[in-house]
Amino acid sequence: MATLKDVARLAGVSVKTVSNVVNGYSFVKPDNRRRVEEALEATGYRPNLGARNLRRGRTGFIALVLPELSIPYFAELAGLVIAAAQEHEWNVLIEQTFGTLSGERSALAALGPHLVDAAILSPEALQVDDFQLAVPSVLLGEHAVDVPIARVGIDNVAAAQAAVRHLVSLGHRRIAAIGAHPHRGTAALRLEGYRRALAEAGLPFVDELVVPALNYHRADGAAAMKSLLDLRTPPDAVFCFNDLLAIGAMRAAAERFVRVPADLAVVGFDNNEESVYSSPSLTSIAPDKAAIARAAVDLLHRRVESTEPVESVETPFSLQVRESTVAR
Amino acid sequence: MATLKDVARLAGVSVKTVSNVVNGYSFVKPDNRRRVEEALEATGYRPNLGARNLRRGRTGFIALVLPELSIPYFAELAGLVIAAAQEHEWNVLIEQTFGTLSGERSALAALGPHLVDAAILSPEALQVDDFQLAVPSVLLGEHAVDVPIARVGIDNVAAAQAAVRHLVSLGHRRIAAIGAHPHRGTAALRLEGYRRALAEAGLPFVDELVVPALNYHRADGAAAMKSLLDLRTPPDAVFCFNDLLAIGAMRAAAERFVRVPADLAVVGFDNNEESVYSSPSLTSIAPDKAAIARAAVDLLHRRVESTEPVESVETPFSLQVRESTVAR
DNA sequence: CATCGTTGTTCCAACGATGTAAAGACCCGG
DNA sequence: CCGGGTCTTTACATCGTTGGAACAACGATG
């Protein structure tokens, strides 16, 4: 692997001059510049990023800390973050926490300024005390604890409210919610949106219609749906706090021969690609994931370049109406 | 951020002694070791990986080059690779190629020995000439071109054959295939498995029943299925070269009111989590993804540690039978 | 012709860690 | 108390790069 030294020897100039050419410094004699460029070409020089970063005090990496790549929402998001990071010449390091406190703690501990320049976090269990972050960071989505860290995400209350409002507008009166969670910030906000939509429609908030989910996987949605269908009076609609729960719920409904949407309307949250092709396809809240990824990366880039103050970004969302609420 | 120098000053020893303690060198006096350990604790020292790797000539990273994280198979695999890499103290850098030749080329070009110690590649379009790899690499899945690079994956011919054999055993006689592709190695192998299974059952190979797919996304599966349903005599079963195609195919079938599995049996390939919860759930070839991830990472680790010869690994697979071929 | 500012280049140190070699401490037997 | 070996520690160079100072070359200016 060619180094600056090799190139310099070949071009007959000093190492620093080569470095200057590589870094686009203006004042290099055309003649030398040409020779250096030829030498660069001939040797196929690629800068040693480790050395460069050691010198510059940068690493060229950002961390993306998320629960699990096998969750479609995070996989899609990760893809978009990688693409956005590329524009700032950042490489992305993905850490999986599996949604556990210990996983999140060890992921955070592994990050240091020597490893990454910044971090994008999607925590689910962290406590206030854990947020002693070594590098500029941004939180995705809302979080239960109130910490002075920039956030990027949609207005979860408004989004949930829009979802439930949609169900109300279709005439549903007994609307369930799946995905309540004691410690998850987004869960609380979505529940609040659900509550508000019911209130503004003059519908009662019924405890038995709110089902918790410890994880947000398909299996949890199925289990929750089964318990709802076992009620004396099952719901005529259900708002799931993410698409996986909704997919699981629809699956459970199908197994009980409950027809969606005729007997039960279902709305999800995240707008996974999967939900477009399920049978029936799933009505879902669609956060603008590309906007989230870009906003998070750009925000971090500005934070790293200049010491700007903490600022949060609210990204847009929309409601995608599909067969699970309105039959084709 | 504390450096070795800071720790050394605090402990009253030389930098090298601290380094020795950190790296578990045996001959350090108990007294000094204790003082150094206390100082390490007090300063919260974390080694600067850039500097360490500069010195050691290692980077501590491996690259995972894949088409797209939004494809569930690759997302699941990436998660497993990250977990496997962690055991060797490797961080994983994910590069997306979007399945294009230029994307794959630029991903390869970006990888150098200064950036990663090794690479796991899942190429779809690369030519022989492109495989001038700068670091030890392993290919996932089969590839059309024959290059002397270790591979990890299942026996695609046998797997495809097993899938189609299953359809044959259920009495299907007009079995279609979705996912043929001119340049994709795995596609050729799966097609070969399909061909063999037909042959051993004494069934004819019918050209019009083999539908190509340029990409392996749900939309491609749906489009292919539509064209099959438009045939004068539509198939009574279809083998899709991956689960996404199968999901798309089932969706297209549902839109035409073709019942699965009564009118049409469907088998997929990859065994995505999604396929367990679809309605109907999808029969699929299940590669042992965890085994693939572990084998790839371990193989690379051995290659980097000792200059071992190129060796390939064949991982197991199984057939998961679900509702898309056998009604509940 | 001395001085000056501009332009172009080189030399040196430094980033933080580790390998090497050599020096220092220690203990043993003779 | 010396020679010789085994531990233990240290100084120094080094990895490849870049910032800064120093220096050199140059034409322009007074």
Side-chain angles (χ1 to χ4, degrees), chain A residues 4 9 27 47 50 86 100 106 131 147 156 200 214 240 270 293:
Chain A
L4 279 187
R9 187 168 34 223
F27 302 121
Q86 219 155 31
T100 64
S106 72
F131 287 94
V147 286
N156 273 278
E200 76 185 2
L214 277 190
C240 300
D270 281 351

Side-chain angles (χ1 to χ4, degrees), chain B residues 14 16-17 27-29 32 54-55:
Chain B
S14 78
K16 191 63 214 286
T17 298
F27 302 120
V28 177
K29 272 202 188 147
N32 276 342
L54 171 60
R55 190 61 248 247

Side-chain angles (χ1 to χ4, degrees), chain B residues 67-132:
Chain B
E68 239 186 298
L69 269 182
S70 63
I71 297 176
Y73 176 76
F74 290 111
E76 291 180 30
L77 193 67
L80 294 165
V81 167
I82 290 175
Q86 219 154 32
E87 289 174 21
H88 295 298
E89 300 193 309
W90 259 335
N91 280 109
V92 179
L93 228 82
I94 296 177
E95 302 258 358
Q96 298 183 103
T97 66
F98 300 99
T100 64
L101 184 54
S102 66
E104 294 184 350
R105 285 208 175 122
S106 72
L108 283 199
L111 304 177
H114 53 271
L115 188 58
V116 294
D117 297 331
I120 299 175
L121 311 175
S122 198
E124 297 193 333
L126 285 180
Q127 315 290 321
V128 182
D129 300 346
D130 295 314
F131 286 94
Q132 304 298 336

Side-chain angles (χ1 to χ4, degrees), chain A residues 13-14 16-17 27-29 32 54-55:
Chain A
V13 296
S14 79
K16 190 63 210 289
T17 298
F27 302 121
V28 178
K29 270 199 189 150
N32 277 342
L54 172 59
R55 188 61 245 245

Side-chain angles (χ1 to χ4, degrees), chain B residues 293-315:
Chain B
R294 177 156 322 111
V297 172
D298 286 354
L299 194 157
L300 286 177
H301 193 250
R302 274 179 283 135
R303 278 276 294 286
V304 169
E305 290 295 310
S306 64
T307 335
E308 279 183 37
V310 173
E311 49 172 330
S312 295
V313 177
E314 193 178 297
T315 52

